[in-house]
């Protein structure tokens, strides 16, 4: 009896049931499509931001007040490892040094980390290791002005200290890096007598 009533009900109302089924199907399809687009956009934006590299620069608080010699410490930076939203970070220690009777900016960094937050770096030659205190990358403009290339040696002086580096590669970015010399963070700290210190940290 129950099945007969149900069969007659379906037979007389099949058009309404079909409309309801279509409505539910369309609603589910739209919800699925919206979710897919939302997830896809988030991933695309994330990839785009990573392609642009660092989007946050961490500097000492006193640097904002005009203290040019303000620095961060490595203990400050290691806490970034506990922040889940940080994809990568690279510390930099800057100093104005002299070489070939000219002033030039020397930057110390962790090379592997720097290349992660600055994927547009183009290096002709090889990149020094993070613990290599005797090698350097030279910016393209510096290399052109001084007529140096990979395999050459340059001596830089900072106050009373001096150190000779072997050039392993020429760095080209189209930015300020082309006018700088890059060495490992440990080498820069040693040359400037700033153990465990850094000028800023670039975060992605």
């Amino acid at each position: 009896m129950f099945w007969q009533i149900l069969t007659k009900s379906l037979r007389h109302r099949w058009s309404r049931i079909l409309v309801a089924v279509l409505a539910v199907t369309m609603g589910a399809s739209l919800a699925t499509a919206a979710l897919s687009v939302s997830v896809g956009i988030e991933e695309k934006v994330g990839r785009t931001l990573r392609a642009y590299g660092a989007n946050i620069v961490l500097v000492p608080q006193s640097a904002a007040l005009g203290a040019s010699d303000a620095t961060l410490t490595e203990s400050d930076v290691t806490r970034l490892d506990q922040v889940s939203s940080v994809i990568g970070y690279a510390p930099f220690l800057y100093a104005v040094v002299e070489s070939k009777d000219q002033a030039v900016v020397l930057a110390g960094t962790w090379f592997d980390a720097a290349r992660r937050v600055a994927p547009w770096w183009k290096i002709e030659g090889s990149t020094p290791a993070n613990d290599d205190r005797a090698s350097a990358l030279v910016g393209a403009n510096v290399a052109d002005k001084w007529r140096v290339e990979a395999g050459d040696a340059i001596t830089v002086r900072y106050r009373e200290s001096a150190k000779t580096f072997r050039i392993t590669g020429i760095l080209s970015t189209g930015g300020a890096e082309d006018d700088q010399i890059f060495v490992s963070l440990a080498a820069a700290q040693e040359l400037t007598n700033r153990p465990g210190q850094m000028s800023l940290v670039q975060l992605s």
Side-chain angles (χ1 to χ4, degrees), residues 6 67 125 152 156 175 192:
L6 180 61
D152 292 343
V156 300
T192 61

Side-chain angles (χ1 to χ4, degrees), residues 6 8 10 21 52 56 62 69 72 83 89 92 99 164 189:
L6 180 61
K8 290 180 180 180
L10 292 174
V21 170
Y52 281 116
I56 296 175
S62 54
D69 58 346
L72 297 167
V83 182
Y89 62 88
F92 290 86
S99 184
T164 299
Q189 290 171 340

Side-chain angles (χ1 to χ4, degrees), residues 5 23 37 43 54 106 186:
I5 295 173
V37 169
E43 291 180 353
L106 179 134

